[in-house]
Amino acid sequence: ELKVEQNPLFLSMQEGKNYTIYCNYSTTSDRLYWYRQDPGKSLESLFVLLSNGAVKQEGRLMASLDTKARLSTLHITAAVHDLSATYFCAVESLNFDMRFGAGTRLTVKP
Amino acid sequence: AAGVIQSPRHLIKEKRETATLKCYPIPRHDTVYWYQQGPGQDPQFLISFYEKMQSDKGSIPDRFSAQQFSDYHSELNMSSLELGDSALYFCASSLGVEQYFGPGTRLTVT
């Protein structure tokens, strides 16, 4: 069964610092998603990673995928307060099952 | 470890029919969230419950209703189904900040 583990679950950062969120999954997948969620809101897609070695960047966020290690990372560079949110990774298996990580609540402090 | 259980996993209904989706949270979790993910779309937050009371409301149509019962399981009732209701419906449970997603119910309306 496809399982997704995300860590850390809580992350408190100072503005300007860098950090990485990790997403491990248990079986071969077809694609991996990173989402952002603000409190009480829907999930907003940030990245879709399709192949081994895929790297995507948008602003201060960069996501990468290592399918051999079954690991994706979301790297935050020079964090700013606006990045405070909950970040989820989700993995879609080859039979179109979707599994989510538990989310990382990021708080960026001045 | 026990995870969030959703039933049924797949459901096929015709237009104008009703559907009931069930969600069984992780034991001792007091909060349940419902999301709708249409084809190629981000998961949209529908509604949430905390301690059996509605805590937040998102883009849930008036044709849908939900409740959380005394045993903390939740049901999403959908009436007058439309073709556009075809989607993956996720439930997530929480005891704090993190959200543990269930495997989803795939609803197809024909």
Side-chain angles (χ1 to χ4, degrees), chain A residues 37-50:
Chain A
Q37 185 184 38
D38 292 299
K41 304 293 185 185
S42 300
L43 277 65
E44 172 192 352
S45 177
L46 296 172
F47 302 106
V48 181
L49 302 170
L50 302 177

Side-chain angles (χ1 to χ4, degrees), chain B residues 58-101:
Chain B
S59 53
I60 185 168
D62 291 340
R63 298 178 290 109
F64 295 6
S65 64
Q67 57 182 322
Q68 187 179 29
F69 293 86
S70 57
D71 64 352
Y72 294 96
H73 95 271
S74 179
E75 294 184 4
L76 177 66
N77 298 293
M78 310 158 71
S79 63
S80 302
L81 286 169
E82 301 173 357
L83 295 178
D85 296 329
S86 295
L88 259 175
Y89 290 84
F90 289 101
C91 160
S93 79
S94 174
L95 184 57
V97 170
E98 67 277 15
Q99 293 182 45
Y100 293 89
F101 279 73

